[in-house]
Amino acid sequence: MDPQPGNRGEIRDFLVSRRARITPAQAGLPTSARRRVPGLRREEVAVLAGVSTEWYTRLEKGHIGGVSEDVLDAVARALRLDDDERTYLFDLARSSRQQSRTPSRRRDVRSRPGSSGCSTR
C-alpha cells in the first residue's frame, strides 16, 4: 500500500486499531452474529460519538486537520481512549493542522525594466 501523505496513515491505523478492540456488547450496542470487522463498525463509532458516518469515515481516512476539539473528544470517549491515547489523538490532529497550513511559495513579481514602481514627481 502506498504511504499516505503527511500522517494520514498513522491516523488511520490508530483509529482502526482502537475501533477493533471494542465489541458492540462492551459499547452497549446490539450484536449480530455476522460481522465482517473485529470490534465496532465505523457507523457504530459515529453513533456513539454523535457524528455522521461520513464525518467519522473522513476522520479515519486521515482528514483530521480541521476537526474541532469537541469532535475529537467525542471520538475519544466513543473509542474509550485512555489519557495517553487521547493525548496522542489530539497530537495527531494538531500535527495535521500544521501540515495543512503550510503557506504556498510566493512567486517573485518582476517589474518592467526601468520602472521602479514609485513616482519621483
Side-chain angles (χ1 to χ4, degrees), residues 100-115:
S100 67
R101 290 186 182 174
T102 303
S104 60
R105 285 182 28 167
R106 252 177 88 185
R107 288 189 232 158
D108 291 333
V109 178
R110 295 184 184 198
S111 58
R112 291 183 302 222
S115 70

Side-chain angles (χ1 to χ4, degrees), residues 42-44 46-47 51-58:
R42 286 179 176 162
E43 299 83 13
E44 292 166 333
V47 166
V51 298
S52 72
T53 301
E54 293 81 17
W55 189 243
Y56 179 76
T57 300
R58 284 187 46 80

Side-chain angles (χ1 to χ4, degrees), residues 13-120:
D13 293 344
F14 178 73
L15 291 174
V16 168
S17 68
R18 296 319 180 267
R19 179 167 57 88
R21 70 182 187 181
I22 302 171
T23 66
Q26 290 171 323
L29 297 172
T31 59
S32 62
R34 187 160 183 216
R35 296 187 72 83
R36 295 186 338 197
V37 296
L40 297 175
R41 296 181 177 116
R42 286 179 176 162
E43 299 83 13
E44 292 166 333
V45 175
V47 166
L48 292 170
V51 298
S52 72
T53 301
E54 293 81 17
W55 189 243
Y56 179 76
T57 300
R58 284 187 46 80
L59 291 180
E60 200 171 279
K61 289 183 177 182
H63 302 281
I64 199 170
V67 177
S68 72
E69 289 192 4
D70 289 341
V71 170
L72 289 175
D73 191 47
V75 169
R77 278 193 315 274
L79 294 175
R80 299 180 177 198
L81 302 183
D82 63 25
D83 289 340
D84 290 338
E85 293 167 328
R86 186 181 183 284
T87 299
Y88 183 65
L89 177 63
F90 277 75
D91 287 346
L92 286 172
R94 208 172 355 269
S95 171
S96 184
R97 282 185 200 114
Q98 290 169 355
Q99 289 173 4
S100 67
R101 290 186 182 174
T102 303
S104 60
R105 285 182 28 167
R106 252 177 88 185
R107 288 189 232 158
D108 291 333
V109 178
R110 295 184 184 198
S111 58
R112 291 183 302 222
S115 70
S116 63
C118 57
S119 175
T120 57

